[in-house]
């Protein structure tokens, strides 16, 4: 079955789906995006993802390409047309097509909207989660507005590639003071040596991960002590557990940071409990 993409009002086979060469997304990465997981055909955490999309658009002074109800319909329809039961749906919005010039195009320029969906093999993620994954650390190399889910992801792309070349799942960015900001496409967490769950507080230095935002109330529910406080690489190495969160993976235990074993070298109880509770609470409704 050929995959189908929504592009500016039309559902097209991928082979025929394209945007203009002067699209500002292509020319300048002048755009934003969102990614929602699909499980059993349902969109997971759709509302917080759309809230964040709204904020990203607002921060970049971009218009919604269609109303929110229409976008929700398009996301569902793209999932349906691609027969995705478990997978991801992507929404990409750029500032539209205009003759190349750094300044914004004329008011009224229509934003470009692309929606795609694809299946993922969730069993593969489950297998990784059972074993735990490795991360490497790299100096922070991104811009000053990591809180915006912009399609400008070059530093993230280079970091992920370095991780892959080292056989790791993810790269953690580390700020000038030695504190971990987040992963190239995930938020970063540890259970420190005292047993306190730590993750960096929200600021312009990290993406306000939707999964991160959904995990915090689960910690309260499960009685897990947490502190939104930055942690160093050293604290991670000496901690009891570490894990990543993202819409695509839920909670992914980390068993090594820069080849140092974390805790026992196996996924820890906090990561496992949060991972299970996260997915089971999503399927409740
Ligand atoms: N941090 C970055 C840089 C990301 O790109 C992502 C997801 O794409 C996340 C964190 C996790 O965010 P979410 O939980 O909303 O998927």
């Amino acid at each position: 079955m050929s995959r189908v993409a929504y592009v500016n009002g039309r559902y097209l086979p991928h082979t025929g789906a394209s945007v203009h060469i002067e699209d500002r997304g292509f020319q300048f990465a002048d755009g934003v995006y969102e990614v929602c997981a699909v499980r059993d055909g349902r969109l997971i955490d759709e509302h917080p993802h759309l809230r964040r999309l709204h904020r990203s658009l607002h921060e970049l002074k971009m218009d919604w390409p269609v109303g929110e109800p229409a976008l929700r319909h398009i996301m569902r329809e793209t999932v349906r047309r691609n027969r995705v039961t478990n997978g991801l749906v992507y929404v990409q919005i750029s500032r539209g097509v205009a003759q190349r010039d750094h300044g914004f195009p004329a008011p009224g320029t229509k934003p470009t909207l692309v929606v795609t969906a694809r299946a993922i093999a969730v069993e593969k993620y489950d297998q990784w989660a059972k074993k735990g994954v490795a991360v490497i650390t790299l100096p922070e190399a991104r811009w000053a507005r990591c809180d915006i889910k912009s399609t400008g992801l070059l530093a993230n792309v280079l970091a992920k590639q370095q991780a892959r070349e080292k056989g790791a799942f993810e790269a953690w960015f580390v700020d000038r003071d030695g504190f971990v900001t987040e992963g190239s496409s995930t938020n970063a967490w540890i259970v420190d040596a005292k047993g306190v769950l730590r993750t960096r507080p929200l600021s312009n230095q990290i993406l306000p991960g939707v999964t991160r935002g959904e995990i915090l109330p689960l910690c309260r529910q499960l009685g897990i002590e947490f502190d939104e406080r930055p942690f160093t690489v050293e604290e991670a190495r000496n901690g009891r557990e570490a894990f990543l969160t993202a819409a695509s993976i839920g909670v992914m235990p980390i068993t090594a940071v820069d080849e140092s074993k974390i805790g026992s070298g196996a996924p820890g109880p906090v990561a496992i409990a949060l991972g299970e509770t996260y997915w089971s609470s999503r399927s409740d409704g």
Side-chain angles (χ1 to χ4, degrees):
M1 188 194 75
S2 118
R3 286 179 62 202
V4 174
Y6 173 94
V7 185
N8 292 330
R10 292 195 297 163
Y11 294 94
L12 299 165
H14 272 215
T15 44
S18 61
V19 293
H20 196 278
I21 56 166
E22 286 197 308
D23 192 282
R24 292 180 63 93
F26 176 61
Q27 295 281 350
F28 298 113
D30 187 3
V32 300
Y33 74 112
E34 267 305 327
V35 189
C36 265
V38 181
R39 286 290 187 278
D40 298 324
R42 290 176 47 241
L43 270 59
I44 304 295
D45 297 333
E46 181 186 11
H47 288 288
H49 281 287
L50 290 176
R51 256 200 319 273
R52 184 172 63 188
L53 178 63
H54 182 77
R55 180 178 182 276
S56 298
L57 289 167
H58 177 78
E59 291 298 310
L60 296 182
K61 301 185 170 61
M62 285 173 60
D63 296 327
W64 276 80
V66 293
E68 188 179 320
L71 180 58
R72 294 178 54 192
H73 172 77
I74 294 163
M75 290 164 76
R76 277 178 180 66
E77 187 59 16
T78 308
V79 166
R80 192 187 69 77
R81 289 188 188 224
N82 287 282
R83 298 190 198 153
V84 174
T85 307
N86 293 312
L88 299 168
V89 55
Y90 286 84
V91 175
Q92 328 264 156
I93 303 169
S94 85
R95 207 182 298 276
V97 177
Q99 185 175 304
R100 195 179 190 286
D101 176 46
H102 284 62
F104 288 178
T109 302
K110 269 183 75 62
T112 299
L113 172 61
V114 172
V115 181
T116 52
R118 68 178 159 93
I120 54 171
V122 279
E123 319 77 58
K124 192 177 69 184
Y125 290 103
D126 291 347
Q127 275 168 19
W128 286 333
K130 281 205 180 91
K131 275 178 57 188
V133 298
V135 301
I136 60 165
T137 61
L138 294 173
E140 180 62 87
R142 298 174 301 161
W143 72 326
R145 292 301 308 272
C146 296
D147 56 315
I148 300 172
K149 200 162 170 68
S150 152
T151 53
L153 289 170
L154 193 48
N156 309 57
V157 165
L158 296 176
K160 187 76 89 188
Q161 183 59 22
Q162 277 199 53
R164 297 227 169 117
E165 285 170 9
K166 293 204 163 137
F169 182 82
E170 178 60 301
W172 274 356
F173 290 116
V174 181
D175 72 15
R176 282 198 208 153
D177 301 319
F179 291 96
V180 173
T181 53
E182 62 180 335
S184 70
S185 62
T186 55
N187 287 112
W189 307 67
I190 61 165
V191 179
D192 69 15
K194 292 189 175 143
V196 178
L197 180 59
R198 306 253 299 268
T199 194
R200 198 175 174 103
L202 297 183
S203 73
N204 60 353
Q205 290 165 316
I206 64 166
L207 187 78
V210 166
T211 320
R212 177 193 181 284
E214 298 294 313
I215 289 285
L216 289 173
L218 297 183
C219 293
R220 271 184 217 110
Q221 200 179 304
L222 294 174
I224 297 167
E225 190 188 346
F226 69 87
D227 191 359
E228 290 181 78
R229 185 154 58 90
F231 58 85
T232 63
V233 176
E234 201 51 31
E235 284 179 300
R237 284 211 196 98
N238 297 328
R240 297 184 190 176
E241 292 186 39
F243 60 90
L244 310 167
T245 55
S248 50
I249 53 174
V251 176
M252 181 62 73
I254 295 170
T255 45
V257 174
D258 288 334
E259 294 181 3
S260 299
K261 195 167 81 174
I262 302 299
S264 65
V270 172
I272 293 171
L274 285 173
E276 284 171 0
T277 312
Y278 175 72
W279 287 120
S280 62
S281 57
R282 302 308 96 172
S283 57
D284 292 345

